[in-house]
């Protein structure tokens, strides 16, 4: 077993497989294929996971921004109406 770390994830090479692991739990598994870099496949999968996480973070930021704007508009409307 050979283990490398990439962007916080472990890339582990076994006899017949490559695995992406986080906290000793398997996230993705790739069978070894001659002429194909299993390590590169793992890195691509980790990059895909990171991109998806970023999309979710950006969506949450947009929701919070929209809620803050709405709250501010409600406060302005209440202050103008009183």
């Amino acid at each position: 077993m050979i283990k490398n770390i990439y962007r916080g994830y472990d890339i582990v090479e076994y006899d017949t497989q490559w695995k992406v692991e986080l906290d000793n739990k398997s996230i993705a598994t790739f069978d070894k294929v001659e002429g194909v870099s299993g390590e590169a496949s793992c890195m691509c999968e980790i990059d895909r996971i990171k991109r998806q996480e970023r999309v979710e973070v950006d969506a949450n930021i947009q929701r919070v921004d929209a809620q803050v704007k709405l709250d501010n508009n409600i406060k302005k409307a209440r202050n103008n109406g009183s």
Side-chain angles (χ1 to χ4, degrees):
M1 173 175 73
I2 299 173
K3 196 172 196 176
N4 296 315
I5 297 175
Y6 178 69
R7 297 183 81 178
Y9 288 80
D10 295 326
I11 297 175
V12 187
E13 180 181 7
Y14 294 96
D15 290 337
T16 61
Q17 294 178 326
W18 287 86
K19 289 190 177 190
V20 175
E21 296 179 351
L22 183 62
D23 298 329
N24 295 321
K25 294 181 184 173
S26 181
I27 305 294
T29 302
F30 299 94
D31 291 328
K32 285 189 174 180
V33 177
E34 190 174 330
V36 176
S37 171
E39 188 173 21
S41 296
C42 290
M43 292 171 122
C44 287
E45 181 64 13
I46 292 167
D47 288 342
R48 186 196 64 75
I49 291 167
K50 289 291 191 179
R51 279 192 306 275
Q52 183 60 38
E53 288 173 356
R54 187 69 221 171
V55 165
E56 291 169 9
V57 167
D58 288 347
N60 287 336
I61 289 170
Q62 288 177 353
R63 278 194 286 279
V64 169
D65 285 348
Q67 186 62 49
V68 168
K69 287 179 185 176
L70 178 62
D71 291 348
N72 288 340
N73 288 341
I74 291 170
K75 286 178 187 175
K76 284 180 187 176
R78 286 184 182 155
N79 288 339
N80 289 338
S82 16

